[in-house]
């Protein structure tokens, strides 16, 4: 090693270092609206022909405000989201989603264009021309259901989805020239709908809270654990995780770059393809950003990123070329220097050993160099759990294990450190408790070393956890019971292929018998593990009539299995017969109840309004009485007011509880329809949804159950 | 307040100790620029010059024991022009190096412990170890003091003819939150501070007009100035700086052309702050710069060209960089420069190849885990009532695991950008605290904040995994004492109702000291050489209850106005006694009125919090009402 090597001198000029005109974010406006602003409730819109662009916001007092004007709309229902778009007009209409309806309002004409009831409320909007529709649709995401209205307010689109719709966007993800609907839900799923047919499900690691198209065929997503990322087609281009949560993502400033706005007020502009930060701006103190949009409030040709805090402080940023030439060289040099420094440290690690004396080496607590760590899955049949077993060779003690796996545990990691090391401590059993049917990568880091050593080796390994890790294949199972509910469908595959699928998707017990690839009839028995404890699963396949049957109690899980089979064997279209009496009965009950629930709802709402107006009236009377010095009356009125107020509160509470129950039932019904759809694939699956929709609107109860069971 | 400074990296040397980098003034007559001298923990002293926008090594000494301190010195009177020597202290040895890199003077002191801090003034050399203070005049022993407390920094006043008979005076910054003024071989007096002073510097570089002003920086990030004339000193001013992180280094230099030199402060959290002294005995903050690595030294000079003042910064990881006002910088950095980064790249790939060969060679029987340096500290931060744990490596951190058997509460630190995952205690997890911190790319410094309840004791164990091959983890352990929230103070209010707990028996004073060290933080490891010792503590969380401890051979007496403190002590010391099988008599005198007194102490804080909560509710309600007032009026 040469003399100068441990002084690391960066060279001043690098080839890659260029003087660049770097884009920077400049604050352009900064004002306060003396209102608290609701999350997801700020947009910018041009509200009259040739008008100026204005900010539209919803205040905490449930009013729609238009900045710089006196306009303020009062909506009786709680507003959940707003949007704006021209629907056959030359200017933008305001679209308001509340907990029970969607309202399209024309500010210029001061009229309501249309108003439609959405019983389970609207959480988010997507506006645009979906698939082969001729006009723009207002697509409303609700509770497990999605509704689409054309500019006249006609209900032209309806489908169901697996969970509450948190976020939606339109994006041509398959590059076929038509826009697809992308839907994000709290159940970690991003679902892509081609018209009303669900094309694919992308499983993420936490609840999806934001979606935005960032180029014609890429979309960005945001999760509640602070992750953002970009998908191109079904392939994830990149993702990053931060401590903060993304409030909004914008398709700005170009097709190569996108903007992410975080809840702390940080704004970063990233490369769409790599996620690399092009420029960013971070406020000195953390803010509470509730909304962000693009607007040109001052200069019509210049778009600004406008962000708003919960307290109503609005800041706009424009992207401009930095006035000064910014020399990136020092940064690049630093990076190089850092890299080199890290390598140097690495190098010195190896030299350390050479420099040590024999006595020092003796004191070191070392482990044999050929030590390996094996990992395997082990099914505990008594406890019905799946265990990850790590075993170190040479009797080396495993001091700790860290497993990083997104979406597998409550947080992103699981740590195992024993309180007391037993024996050699070279074998570790860690119970795994998967909550979902998702394939996952476990990044395992085992820390090995002597019991009292302060320096430990890290053994890194990666294990795939199969999609249905909650089921273990067993060959001899005494207490296995065949579940009653099942699904049956036609499938023509060789036994071996089916075994391949089972092997890839399930946990195979070590003691399980070999598969017999020549059998005419296959009978595969699985026991449920962890959260599926005490459930059973049977998969039957007959080569005689090419039919597969899956017996299991949970309709949702069976649906996921059918989807897994469809994907594995690349089946385009699949019809099936489903027998899930419990769920079907539930659906029947809900439909039967529906009619009366609508009635009750209307009745309760009317009652509430009546009581509220009585309260208002009484206030006026009481005040009047004071004015004309009739204290006796005033007192009487105030006593009455108290009673009325109590009555009104009670009515409101009653209505709220009823509404909650109603929404819950609706959601459950939508879910059952979705499960049934998932037991099929392709066109039959889509048909079930639309057949159910027609049946519900026609109040044709008997048909629904038939459709759910036999398909269309 | 961010001044627009531009960072230019000069070099990276090995890790550095605090105060081991100085600017060596160049000979202006010969047109020389200032140079940078830095001593690393690998024992090398490196002298760097800037030429044509490139860093060159003027000289570099052979590695050896870590350099603990680096000072400039020379014969008095010649200092201003040319005759400069670089003094470095390592272990018990002091060497002087001339401008050409030749060691022309080596002095083996007879110190019993390695030198930690050094101050050179003319032919006077002051060395401080952990506990001892040594003054050498012309290499001859002149003065010596053994301090009862750990010494954090040392500085000497300039000898002035106007002093008259005042002996050679030094100021020691001590762990018991005092500035000890040493005249000759005696401690003349002590100045009591609120926090432990860590760094000292002479005001204006020479002590000001009276040559007796000293600036100090504390553990809690406070900056102050003390006047230390003969007999009795005083604190002139003390201010909070922008963050509550440790002050690691202070220097003075005239940056803004004022009458007095400006004060530059370097912090443990990587913040550099610049203050300007005003006439009315105050300072104003002129600017800050954040560099994200803990700073070990600051020095100012004209290194790049003869017209611009620069701030030279040295960090723990050994980065040496300059900060200059950007308007000047653009001209210098944009200047065409032939040498390219290709060299670096080539070097990097060369190192890679070398490394690969190394791994192949490694065929020994036992695997070797290299040691990496962990620069850490675990300190109580009274402002948050919580402990701050800082871990800094010279390489990026991959992840950190935190584990404890104590129910420690992790608090959010805004600066810490890593992804936290805490695993709650359950059937599968026996640990009340178990969490992982996965760091963002290129993070080499991690700051955690933890809150511990008093009464429990144990260890906080941290597994640190850096991003380096071979992959390894180092386990660090931090002791949490039962009275973890107590801090040492100089005195207490004796009028409070006190309960007394005393232990008498056959034990030595050092045993008693050891028990105390087990109970409260901030007690020196070694027992001070005294017959009877009294220490005072104050609790930083429960409204400020107090504790007085007096111990001597065969007796230790605790007095506190808080009964829970007394009971915690009884439990812990009792446990210790049983373990060591020492027979003692325990007597406890409970003062009933202390309970009411304690509750009264707590009352203002709780009332304040309750009021705050209530006012917050009112504020929201009022705000909504004001907004809706027009709507309400519409009814009438």
């Amino acid at each position: 090693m040469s003399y100068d090597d441990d002084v690391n001198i960066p060279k001043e000029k690098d080839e890659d270092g260029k003087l660049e005109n770097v884009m920077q974010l400049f604050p352009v406006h900064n004002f306060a609206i003396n209102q608290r602003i609701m999350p997801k409730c700020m947009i910018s819109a041009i509200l009259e022909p040739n008008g100026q662009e204005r900010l539209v916001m919803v205040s905490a007092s449930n009013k729609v405000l238009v900045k710089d004007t006196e306009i303020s709309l009062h909506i009786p229902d709680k507003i959940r989201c707003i949007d704006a778009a021209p629907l056959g007009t030359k200017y933008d209409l305001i679209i308001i989603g509340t907990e029970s309806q969607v309202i399209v309002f024309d500010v210029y004409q001061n009229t309501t264009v249309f108003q439609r009831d959405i019983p389970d409320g609207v959480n988010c909007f997507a506006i645009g021309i979906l698939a082969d529709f001729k006009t723009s649709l207002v697509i409303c995401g609700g509770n497990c259901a999605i509704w689409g209205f054309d500019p006249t307010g006609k209900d032209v689109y309806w489908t169901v989805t697996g969970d509450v719709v948190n976020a939606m966007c339109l994006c041509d993800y398959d590059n076929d020239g038509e826009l697809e609907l992308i839907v994000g839900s709290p159940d970690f799923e991003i679902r892509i709908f081609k018209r009303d047919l669900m094309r694919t499900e992308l499983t993420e690691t936490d609840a999806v809270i934001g979606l935005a198209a960032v180029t014609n065929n890429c979309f960005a997503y945001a999760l509640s654990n602070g992750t953002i990322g970009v998908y191109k087609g079904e392939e994830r281009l990149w993702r990053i995780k931060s401590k903060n949560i993304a409030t909004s993502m914008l398709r700005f400033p170009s097709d190569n770059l996108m903007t992410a706005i975080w809840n702390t007020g940080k704004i970063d502009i990233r490369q769409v393809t790599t996620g690399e930060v092009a420029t960013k701006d971070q406020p000195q103190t953390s803010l509470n950003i509730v909304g962000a949009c693009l607007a040109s409030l001052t200069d019509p040709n210049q778009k600004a990123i406008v962000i708003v805090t919960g307290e109503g402080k609005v800041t706009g940023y424009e992207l401009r070329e930095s006035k000064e030439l910014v020399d990136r060289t020092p940064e690049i040099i630093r990076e190089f220097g850092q890299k080199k420094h890290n390598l140097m440290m690495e190098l010195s690690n190896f030299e350390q050993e050479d420099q040590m004396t024999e006595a020092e080496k003796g004191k070191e607590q070392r482990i044999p160099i050929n030590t390996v760590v094996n990992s395997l899955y082990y099914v505990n049949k008594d406890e019905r759990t799946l265990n990850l077993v790590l075993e170190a060779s040479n009797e080396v003690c495993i001091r700790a294990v860290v497993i990083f796996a997104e979406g597998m545990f409550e947080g992103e990691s699981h740590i195992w450190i024993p309180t007391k090391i037993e024996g050699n401590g070279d074998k570790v059993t860690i119970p795994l408790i998967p909550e979902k049917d998702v394939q996952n990568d476990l990044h395992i880091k085992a820390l090995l070393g002597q019991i009292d050593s302060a320096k430990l080796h890290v053994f890194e390994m990666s294990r795939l956890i199969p999609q249905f890790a909650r089921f273990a294949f067993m060959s001899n199972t005494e207490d296995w019971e065949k579940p009653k509910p099942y699904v049956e469908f036609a499938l023509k595959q060789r036994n071996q292929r089916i075994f391949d699928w089972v092997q890839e998707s399930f946990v195979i017990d070590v003691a399980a018998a070999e598969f017999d690839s020549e059998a005419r009839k296959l009978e595969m028995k699985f026991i449920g593990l962890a959260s599926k404890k005490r459930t059973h699963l049977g998969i039957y396949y007959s080569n005689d009539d090419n039919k597969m049957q899956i017996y299991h109690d949970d309709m949702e899980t069976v649906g996921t299995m059918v989807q897994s089979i469809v994907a594995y064997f690349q089946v385009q279209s699949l019809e099936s017969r489903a027998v899930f009496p419990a769920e079907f009965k539930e659906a029947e009950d809900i439909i039967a109840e529906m009619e009366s629930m609508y009635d009750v709802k209307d009745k309760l709402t009317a009652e509430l309004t009546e009581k509220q107006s009585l309260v208002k009236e009484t206030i006026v009377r009481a005040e009047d009485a004071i004015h004309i010095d009739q204290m006796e009356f005033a007192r009487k009125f105030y006593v009455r007011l108290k009673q009325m107020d109590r009555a009104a509160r009670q009515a409101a509470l009653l209505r709220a509880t009823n509404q909650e129950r109603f929404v819950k039932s609706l959601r459950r019904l939508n879910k059952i329809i979705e499960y049934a759809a998932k037991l099929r694939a392709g066109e039959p699956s889509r048909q079930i949804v639309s057949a159910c929709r027609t049946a519900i609107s026609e109040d044709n109860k008997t048909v629904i159950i038939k459709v759910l069971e036999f398909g269309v | 307040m961010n001044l627009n400074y531009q960072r230019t990296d000069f070099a990276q040397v090995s890790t550095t100790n605090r105060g081991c980098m100085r600017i060596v003034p160049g000979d202006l007559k010969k047109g020389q620029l200032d140079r940078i001298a830095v001593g690393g923990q690998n024992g090398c002293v490196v002298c760097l010059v800037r030429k044509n926008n490139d860093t060159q090594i003027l000289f570099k000494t052979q590695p050896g024991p870590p350099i603990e301190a680096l000072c400039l010195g020379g014969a008095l009177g010649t200092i201003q022009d040319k005759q400069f020597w670089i003094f470095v202290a390592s272990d018990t040895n002091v060497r002087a190096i001339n401008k050409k890199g030749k060691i022309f003077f080596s002095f083996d002191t007879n110190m019993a412990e390695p030198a930690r801090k050094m101050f050179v003034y003319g032919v006077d050399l002051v060395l401080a170890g952990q506990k001892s203070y040594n003054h050498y005049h012309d290499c001859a022993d002149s003065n010596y003091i053994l301090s009862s407390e750990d010494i954090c920094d040392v500085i000497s006043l300039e000898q002035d003819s106007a002093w008259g008979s005042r002996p050679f005076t030094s100021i020691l910054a001590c762990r018991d939150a005092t500035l000890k003024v040493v005249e000759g071989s005696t401690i003349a007096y002590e100045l009591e501070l609120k926090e432990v002073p860590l760094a000292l510097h002479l005001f204006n570089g020479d002590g000001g007009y009276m040559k007796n002003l000293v600036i100090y920086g504390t553990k809690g990030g406070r900056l102050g100035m003390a006047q230390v004339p003969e007999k009795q000193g005083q604190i002139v001013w003390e201010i909070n700086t922008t963050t509550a992180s440790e002050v690691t280094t202070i220097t003075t230099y005239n940056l803004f052309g004022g009458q007095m030199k400006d004060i530059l402060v370097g912090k443990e959290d990587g913040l550099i702050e610049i203050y300007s002294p005003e006439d009315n005995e105050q300072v104003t903050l002129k600017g800050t710069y954040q560099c994200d690595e803990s700073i070990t030294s600051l020095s100012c000079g004209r290194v790049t060209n003869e017209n611009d003042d620069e701030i030279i910064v040295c960090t723990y990881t050994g980065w040496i960089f300059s900060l200059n006002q950007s308007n000047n910088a653009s001209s210098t950095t944009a200047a065409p420069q032939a040498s390219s980064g290709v060299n670096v790249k080539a070097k990097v790939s060369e190192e890679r190849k070398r490394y690969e060969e190394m791994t192949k060679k490694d065929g020994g029987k036992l695997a070797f885990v290299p040691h990496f340096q962990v620069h850490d500290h675990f300190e109580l931060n009274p402002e948050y009532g919580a402990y701050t744990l800082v871990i800094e490596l010279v390489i990026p951190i991959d992840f950190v695991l935190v584990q404890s058997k104590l129910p420690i509460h992790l608090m959010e630190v805004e600066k810490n950008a890593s992804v936290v995952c805490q695993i709650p205690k359950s059937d599968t997890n026996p640990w009340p605290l178990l969490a992982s911190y996965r760091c963002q790319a290129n993070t080499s410094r991690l700051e955690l904040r933890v809150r511990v309840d008093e009464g429990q004791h144990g260890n906080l164990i941290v597994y640190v995994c850096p991003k380096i091959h071979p992959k390894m983890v180092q386990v660090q352990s931090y002791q949490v004492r039962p009275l973890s929230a107590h801090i040492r103070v100089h005195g207490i209010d004796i009028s409070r109702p006190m309960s007394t707990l005393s232990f008498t028996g056959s034990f030595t004073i050092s045993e008693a000291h050891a028990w105390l060290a087990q109970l409260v933080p901030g007690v020196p490891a070694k027992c001070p050489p005294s017959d009877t010792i009294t220490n005072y503590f104050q609790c930083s969380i429960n409204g400020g209850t107090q504790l007085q401890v007096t111990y001597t051979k065969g007796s230790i007496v605790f007095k506190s106005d808080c009964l829970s403190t007394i009971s915690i002590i009884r439990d812990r010391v009792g446990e210790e006694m049983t373990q060591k099988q020492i027979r003692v008599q325990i007597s406890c005198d409970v003062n009933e009125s202390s309970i009411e007194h304690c509750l009264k102490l707590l009352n203002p804080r709780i009332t304040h919090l309750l009021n705050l909560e209530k006012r917050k509710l009112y504020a929201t309600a009022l705000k909504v009402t004001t907004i809706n007032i027009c709507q309400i009026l519409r009814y009438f």
Side-chain angles (χ1 to χ4, degrees), chain A residues 491-518:
Chain A
L491 185 75
K492 193 166 163 46
Q493 291 294 341
R494 280 182 295 114
N495 285 359
Q496 193 52 51
R497 290 272 290 152
I498 291 169
F499 296 147
D500 288 347
W501 171 73
V502 169
Q503 244 155 358
E504 196 185 289
S505 315
F506 292 87
V507 176
I508 312 293
D509 185 45
V510 211
E514 284 287 307
F515 291 112
D516 176 10
S517 55
E518 295 305 314

Side-chain angles (χ1 to χ4, degrees), chain A residues 2-16:
Chain A
S2 75
Y3 191 53
D4 279 340
D5 265 3
D6 52 333
V7 180
N8 167 11
I9 296 175
K11 295 290 176 221
E12 189 72 8
K13 261 305 185 203
D14 185 75
E15 284 183 325
D16 303 19

